[in-house]
Amino acid sequence: ESMGGNGTPFKILDTMIKPRASCGSTISSILAAERAHVLLNGTKDVERVTVEVYEPAKRGMGTGEENWHPETRETADHSIPYVVAAALMDGTVGPSQFTMERIHDPELMALLQKVEVVSNPEFTKAYESVPVGHFTRVEVVTRSGERHVGEVNSIKGDTRDPMTDGEIEDKFRNNTRDVFDDERVGTILARLWQLEEMEDVAEIPPAFVL
């Protein structure tokens, strides 16, 4: 069976590329929280946060005490409450939100305890459809009674809304900026974009050596 080429599309073209460096089932919650963040004037007056997700995300990433008390990067990036709280405070979620210092930040931990995750049947139905719908809603209620809502129905990078080459490069740069300088990143990207023309892919790993 052909893997692609000669007019046959390569399967990699149907691959989902996560727009954030976190567990796949938390991505839509991050994106919805980012939209809510821009409506807030800080998080000090937040009274409660409700995250509506599809059932598999609720079951895996929004149930269990460890999701409200993450101790490691692994538990944090698999926790809907954590990534939502981090996105509401910082505006996004990336490598800096998963340092041990950030994970144990008292202010972030206090906001985390105000997050509730619930399953929405309509969102679950959309998730079980083809193409998959990652419907998620984040509602923030302040002490004064104001409501701010961030909502998404797809993940940038999935089959409904593929990432552009430029967006893929931006993600790569954002996740390597603390390790490589811009020139090094540019060199690596140039090689990766020409992967199908390489005679020997063994030249790729040395490009990442620190």
Side-chain angles (χ1 to χ4, degrees):
E1 184 178 349
S2 174
M3 294 179 62
N6 297 321
T8 301
F10 286 95
K11 194 62 179 176
I12 194 171
L13 298 176
D14 295 326
T15 301
M16 174 184 169
I17 298 177
K18 298 188 297 184
R20 300 291 181 272
S22 188
C23 172
S25 295
T26 67
I27 301 294
S28 60
S29 295
I30 293 172
L31 299 179
E34 288 176 355
R35 294 187 176 185
H37 165 83
V38 301
L39 304 173
L40 296 173
N41 183 24
T43 57
K44 293 186 182 300
D45 293 329
V46 171
E47 183 173 275
R48 67 178 183 274
V49 180
T50 303
V51 186
E52 295 178 62
V53 294
Y54 45 94
E55 176 57 29
K58 153 70 176 173
R59 187 170 59 247
M61 314 299 160
T63 302
E65 192 64 21
E66 70 279 4
N67 286 313
W68 278 263
H69 296 90
E71 292 294 332
T72 65
R73 187 203 194 287
E74 185 72 9
T75 52
D77 77 13
H78 280 66
S79 163
I80 288 175
Y82 179 82
V83 298
V84 166
L88 289 176
M89 287 190 71
D90 300 344
T92 191
V93 172
S96 62
Q97 278 68 45
F98 293 120
T99 63
M100 295 310 298
E101 180 180 10
R102 196 73 183 107
I103 290 172
H104 292 119
D105 178 80
E107 188 178 354
L108 179 53
M109 287 301 99
L111 179 60
L112 176 58
Q113 305 315 310
K114 300 176 182 179
V115 178
E116 178 186 14
V117 182
V118 299
S119 176
N120 181 311
E122 289 301 313
F123 293 0
T124 300
K125 183 178 179 180
Y127 180 75
E128 293 171 346
S129 67
V130 178
V132 173
H134 296 87
F135 287 51
T136 301
R137 180 184 298 122
V138 172
E139 179 185 73
V140 181
V141 178
T142 66
R143 294 191 184 97
S144 63
E146 293 181 327
R147 294 174 63 255
H148 303 286
V149 177
E151 193 166 2
V152 298
N153 57 21
S154 66
I155 294 176
K156 189 67 178 177
D158 68 13
T159 54
R160 290 189 180 203
D161 192 10
M163 292 175 71
T164 65
D165 288 355
E167 288 167 334
I168 294 171
E169 285 204 5
D170 286 344
K171 179 187 177 182
F172 186 84
R173 292 182 186 279
N174 288 336
N175 283 283
T176 57
R177 62 163 53 120
D178 294 334
V179 182
F180 302 130
D181 59 32
D182 289 343
E183 183 178 356
R184 181 81 168 274
V185 171
T187 299
I188 293 173
L189 283 170
R191 292 186 181 184
L192 293 176
W193 284 125
Q194 300 301 320
L195 180 64
E196 72 276 15
E197 298 178 7
M198 288 184 182
E199 293 185 3
D200 187 355
V201 295
E203 69 180 79
I204 294 177
F208 288 87
V209 175
L210 296 176

